[in-house]
Amino acid sequence: MQLRLIRSATLRIRYAGQMYLTDPFLAAKHTLPSYGGVSPNPLVDLPIPPEEVLAGADVIIISHLHADHFDTEAQRMLPQDAVIFCQPGDEGRIAAKGFLHVTPVRDTIQRGSTTITRTAGQHGAGKVLDDMGSVSGFVFQADGEPTVYWAGDTIWCDAVREAITRFSPDIIITHSCGAVWGDGGLIVMDATQTVAVCQAAPRSTVVAVHMDSVDHARVSRADLRAFAQASGVPAERLLIPEDGETLTF
């Protein structure tokens, strides 16, 4: 299994002979509005050309339809016959953009030898959920491969605990930038919550992504590494890849 962080939540995951592309966010630096009143988004350019991001992708997995997870540039560049998996309720809006093969994952779906299971998430707490809406994560399982849990845009919550207990993942991918919305409500994991994941899953390797790319984030890679070290989480248990970096498991 190989994972390459492109930028933010956009990942290329080579798993059991298939290439999965998650949450394509292809906009050039500073071409989108601010989310937090700090800067236009995204904060950085892609590390490779967008054509290379898309090249060879067998399946596109879209966790939810926020602009930093499926932007207009991705909608323009993806071929209309791309195979797209999404959460239930999003398929109509994706298909309305001209995509022909959109499948909502209600529970599990099979792709070759891989079983993909959708998991629940919580994109914040309290009133902010009215703005954030539903989100999903996904678990990948196949013989001869590590079990991978991509938690998606979620805070540390019961749904994440339950997924860890149910699947005992070897690898957990967290969105860990501590993004906030509105009056400052946390909408994805921050450093404290990412360390909580590490502590709840002591046999798992945690890979923290979705960092240093959007202006409503409050936790940088350096912040997370410093907090994890102070909390006794070794670097080999919490990986924090740079944009463009490839990890092999």
Side-chain angles (χ1 to χ4, degrees):
M1 179 259 179
Q2 195 174 72
L3 179 157
R4 186 179 190 187
L5 171 62
I6 303 301
R7 180 185 63 190
S8 199
T10 305
L11 309 167
R12 286 173 58 91
I13 301 173
R14 172 68 67 181
Y15 192 89
Q18 296 278 295
M19 178 63 75
Y20 298 90
L21 177 66
T22 70
D23 285 357
F25 178 38
L26 303 183
K29 179 180 177 180
H30 291 170
T31 59
L32 298 178
S34 169
Y35 304 138
V38 177
S39 168
N41 284 298
L43 302 180
V44 294
D45 270 319
L46 291 167
I48 58 176
E51 294 83 3
E52 190 175 336
V53 177
L54 301 179
D58 296 298
V59 180
I60 315 299
I61 303 184
I62 300 171
S63 64
H64 64 302
L65 295 181
H66 288 169
D68 59 329
H69 295 263
F70 188 42
D71 67 352
T72 55
E73 189 67 4
Q75 294 163 28
R76 183 185 70 81
M77 293 191 66
L78 275 174
Q80 292 196 330
D81 62 353
V83 176
I84 298 177
F85 295 164
C86 65
Q87 64 180 355
D90 287 352
E91 66 270 23
R93 291 173 61 189
I94 297 172
K97 300 179 187 301
F99 294 102
L100 303 174
H101 303 296
V102 184
T103 302
V105 181
R106 303 190 184 282
D107 183 18
T108 64
I109 194 168
Q110 199 73 23
R111 178 74 184 185
S113 63
T114 300
T115 301
I116 301 171
T117 304
R118 186 177 63 85
T119 59
Q122 189 176 316
H123 206 351
K127 290 185 177 180
V128 74
L129 290 174
D130 294 336
D131 291 334
M132 294 297 103
S134 298
V135 294
S136 294
F138 294 86
V139 174
F140 300 77
Q141 295 173 294
D143 290 342
E145 293 279 15
T147 296
V148 179
Y149 168 36
W150 171 38
D153 261 13
T154 182
I155 59 172
W156 173 238
C157 61
D158 288 344
V160 176
R161 291 186 189 91
E162 290 163 5
I164 291 171
T165 299
R166 176 183 174 188
F167 294 101
S168 298
D170 300 292
I171 300 163
I172 303 172
I173 304 169
T174 60
H175 295 181
S176 298
C177 68
V180 298
W181 191 256
D183 62 358
L186 190 67
I187 58 173
V188 299
M189 295 183 200
D190 59 7
T192 300
Q193 294 190 357
T194 303
V195 166
V197 172
C198 297
Q199 293 168 338
R203 293 184 175 86
S204 303
T205 299
V206 176
V207 181
V209 301
H210 202 337
M211 306 185 76
D212 296 328
S213 57
V214 288
D215 79 317
H216 59 323
R218 298 293 181 266
V219 178
S220 68
R221 289 180 173 94
D223 294 336
L224 178 58
R225 176 59 68 206
F227 185 82
Q229 289 176 341
S231 301
V233 177
E236 61 269 21
R237 287 217 46 240
L238 175 61
L239 306 181
I240 310 174
E242 298 292 331
D243 291 351
E245 185 176 349
T246 298
L247 305 176
T248 301
F249 300 91

